[in-house]
Amino acid sequence: MSAADGVIVGTTKLVDHGPDSARWNLVLLAEGYQQAELPKFHADADAFVTRLFSTSPYTELWCALNIYRVDVASTDSGADDTAGCTDGPPGTGTGATVNTYFDARFCFDGSTRRLLAGDQDLANDTAKAQVPAKNAVVVIVNTAEYGGSGGLVAWASTNAQSGEIALHELGHSAFSLGDEYGDIYNTYAGGEPDELNLTVDTNRATTRWASLIRAGTPVPTLTNPDCTTENPAPSPVPAGTVGLFEGGNRYHCGLFHAEYACRMRALGNAFCAVCTDRIRATLRQHLPVASVPVRGTQFTGTLAPRQTHQWFTHDWPACWHVIWTVGTTTPVTPGPGIAWHVRVERATRETITYWIEITNLTATSLDIEARYAVAAKD
Amino acid sequence: MSERTRGENRAWRLTFDYVGDQITLAGQEQVAMLAPPDDSEHVQRAQTGYHVELRDDAGRPIYQRILHAPLADSYEVFSPEPGAPIRRVPMEHPHGRFEAIVPDVEGGQTVALVGPPGRAGRAGRSERGAPGRATLIEVRLGQPPEARS
């Protein structure tokens, strides 16, 4: 039940947007996959990448990320079925153990079945050894039962809902976001917390995210009348409204978060505007910046008088900033010789197809060329 | 802080272990990567919580970055039902590991974890102008980890 129970097979750069020294690097580790099951891990890792790509603000900042997959083959499959938890599905908690590299197990604390975790230090060290510039680590555990946890690395089973756990935990570990729920504490009486998605300041003019609160939104927006429990009241404002909603950092009262619903309050929600801003502020510096332009001619052709023709060119990296220019190499004067425009198709997560339509505006044949300049790619 | 130069992104990654309130340096290494953006403006406004601080020879902060609960003493527990409440369960013996990444810039001499004085341990001392915060551990860049038994 340790590193002796498996072997690191290899590392693959799943999403490659440039040098690790400039990007934000996420590492996905396999846990509880036998050698023959690694193709399943590849599919599970792809599914997580797809989920991340569909999650704002990662979608908009996708070009800031590199993602690695580390294939780790374990002796056995799955995770330990720790005995002692009575809150799991029927038939679980048998005490059966499996020999896996990171020693993942349910009921990690001895009493909570859904708490799935393992050897955090080994997982972190493995990720660092494979990707020295790693920013965050998610361990994907090969079991369909719901479970996961956070910390220095995030753990998530392959259950369709478990990916949400990793997204929430990355909010903590990578972006320093606080929890927006209360669970055991009643009223917070401390000062303004470090976490930027929480505040004690209920002054409309000075509160942390004052610039996001519209004039017509009441402040505080939703207070909690019973500080011994969470407030079950529905939102008094439409979804997506930024205001001050009571509860956070495990306190039912005294701390406020920005929207009624947010992934840092309950899973299954989008990140609120304030959390989104925090993630953006961290990732933005990792986006490709202007570089020495790479220029060239993509295609040439001839257009008959008054003819319109469409060309396409595919598999351009979606993260490149490409500038197109179409010109005619046949002298035409006076007046314009051609008209053109570009349509853009996001063909895949990583590639773009450009559709370039060119019209000959004259009564004579014209030779044309389509030129590109890549202004930013690293 | 020095201006970002392509191809010259350098940072220090510091790894700390903690058992209860006792924090030790587990390791530090220079890495070709970008440190997270500076949070100094936010740290100045906040009154509680944790942040990591890169200091110059005079002890002045030249970079600060907020950390969420580096000395975790609980596990977060989730439900598969969308929107269901999240809760935390206590660690029986709080311990763990956390990392801090700071920029490798000229003038940076030490790295400190600053947090609530109650968790200061033996290394704690009060911060001028920052009630509710203390230096929990401060290490010199390039210093080897402490020997541990």
Side-chain angles (χ1 to χ4, degrees):
Chain A
M1 293 179 284
S2 70
D5 294 318
V7 60
I8 297 169
V9 176
T11 299
T12 302
K13 200 170 187 179
L14 284 183
V15 174
D16 185 356
H17 291 151
D20 292 352
S21 59
R23 297 288 96 80
W24 189 85
N25 304 296
L26 174 65
V27 180
L28 307 179
L29 297 176
E31 162 64 346
Y33 293 82
Q34 293 177 299
Q35 178 81 38
E37 293 177 305
L38 288 177
K40 179 177 182 298
F41 172 58
H42 300 168
D44 293 338
D46 284 344
F48 184 80
V49 171
T50 299
R51 183 183 208 120
L52 194 66
F53 179 64
S54 65
T55 301
S56 180
Y58 293 104
T59 311
E60 309 92 272
L61 292 156
W62 192 242
C63 301
L65 275 64
N66 284 336
I67 304 179
Y68 285 87
R69 182 191 75 211
V70 180
D71 292 355
V72 182
S74 288
T75 303
D76 293 331
S77 181
D80 289 357
D81 185 19
T82 313
C85 287
T86 57
D87 59 340
T92 61
T94 63
T97 60
V98 291
N99 298 320
T100 60
Y101 195 86
F102 298 115
D103 194 19
R105 59 186 186 274
F106 286 99
C107 193
F108 193 76
D109 66 337
S111 62
T112 312
R113 175 73 189 178
R114 292 163 286 167
L115 190 56
L116 173 66
D119 189 335
Q120 170 184 258
D121 296 353
L122 178 60
N124 189 56
D125 290 346
T126 301
K128 268 197 308 190
Q130 298 298 310
V131 184
K134 68 92 183 169
N135 289 90
V137 182
V138 175
V139 184
I140 298 176
V141 185
N142 184 26
T143 170
E145 185 179 336
Y146 181 80
S149 63
L152 181 54
V153 304
W155 303 78
S157 75
T158 58
N159 182 286
Q161 304 303 321
S162 296
E164 274 289 310
I165 297 174
L167 295 177
H168 176 97
E169 293 300 341
L170 288 176
H172 290 313
S173 60
F175 307 107
S176 311
L177 295 170
D179 287 315
E180 297 184 2
Y181 56 85
D183 66 344
I184 62 168
Y185 301 128
N186 292 342
T187 302
Y188 179 79
E192 185 78 341
D194 267 340
E195 289 93 343
L196 296 180
N197 58 328
L198 297 170
T199 187
V200 296
D201 186 354
T202 55
N203 183 316
R204 172 190 294 277
T206 59
T207 195
R208 262 184 168 146
W209 45 85
S211 64
L212 299 177
I213 301 175
R214 292 184 176 170
T217 302
V219 170
T221 314
L222 183 63
T223 54
N224 188 352
D226 180 359
C227 293
T228 65
T229 186
E230 284 290 85
N231 185 356
S235 177
V237 294
T241 300
V242 176
L244 292 173
F245 299 79
E246 196 158 28
N249 202 16
R250 310 190 70 186
Y251 288 87
H252 299 301
C253 292
L255 276 169
F256 293 81
H257 56 276
E259 289 185 30
Y260 184 79
C262 176
R263 184 171 275 113
M264 298 311 293
R265 177 167 171 80
L267 303 190
N269 297 306
F271 286 111
C272 68
V274 169
C275 291
T276 295
D277 279 354
R278 173 64 172 175
I279 298 171
R280 279 185 182 144
T282 301
L283 292 181
R284 192 177 293 123
Q285 66 167 356
H286 295 277
L287 286 170
V289 294
S291 54
V292 175
V294 175
R295 291 168 294 190
T297 299
Q298 184 61 17
F299 60 83
T300 61
T302 301
L303 285 174
R306 312 295 179 192
Q307 182 190 7
T308 295
H309 189 75
Q310 181 172 260
W311 282 263
F312 70 93
T313 174
H314 58 87
D315 288 338
W316 289 79
C319 293
W320 286 11
H321 292 234
V322 181
I323 301 164
W324 288 97
T325 301
V326 178
T328 173
T329 54
T330 306
V332 181
T333 187
I338 59 170
W340 59 277
H341 66 272
V342 179
R343 294 190 180 96
V344 181
E345 172 192 357
R346 184 75 174 241
T348 70
R349 191 180 67 218
E350 303 298 336
T351 63
I352 281 177
T353 298
Y354 293 104
W355 299 82
I356 302 174
E357 187 177 271
I358 310 172
T359 299
N360 181 350
L361 302 173
T362 75
T364 60
S365 289
L366 295 177
D367 294 329
I368 59 90
E369 64 176 13
R371 300 191 297 257
Y372 63 85
V374 181
K377 67 187 191 66
D378 289 326
Chain B
M1 210 167 25
S2 67
E3 191 174 344
R4 174 187 171 193
T5 307
R6 179 143 303 277
E8 294 181 0
N9 299 327
R10 301 290 302 178
W12 285 92
R13 184 197 302 279
L14 294 97
T15 305
F16 298 94
D17 287 333
Y18 69 94
V19 177
D21 289 347
Q22 296 303 311
I23 308 166
T24 55
L25 176 69
Q28 55 174 304
E29 56 201 334
Q30 287 175 294
V31 188
M33 67 186 297
L34 274 169
D38 182 58
D39 279 335
S40 295
E41 181 187 343
H42 305 304
V43 169
Q44 293 299 316
R45 183 172 174 181
Q47 296 166 308
T48 67
Y50 295 90
H51 67 267
V52 64
E53 202 164 272
L54 177 66
R55 295 173 174 168
D56 65 15
D57 245 350
R60 291 177 298 235
I62 54 178
Y63 168 90
Q64 293 171 313
R65 178 71 182 180
I66 294 166
L67 297 180
H68 170 74
L71 310 180
D73 57 6
S74 62
Y75 300 108
E76 205 162 21
V77 180
F78 304 88
S79 164
E81 302 303 321
I86 305 171
R87 65 188 176 92
R88 285 181 175 269
V89 294
M91 289 183 190
E92 194 172 349
H93 303 292
H95 69 282
R97 174 170 287 186
F98 64 95
E99 289 183 345
I101 298 170
V102 300
D104 181 4
V105 293
E106 194 173 349
Q109 297 294 321
T110 64
V111 173
L113 176 70
V114 178
R119 306 207 61 167
R122 287 176 302 207
R125 62 179 169 81
S126 295
E127 299 299 297
R128 280 177 305 186
R133 284 178 171 151
T135 295
L136 306 186
I137 185 172
E138 182 171 12
V139 298
R140 183 159 291 276
L141 289 171
Q143 167 191 311
E146 297 169 24
R148 286 176 291 170
S149 56

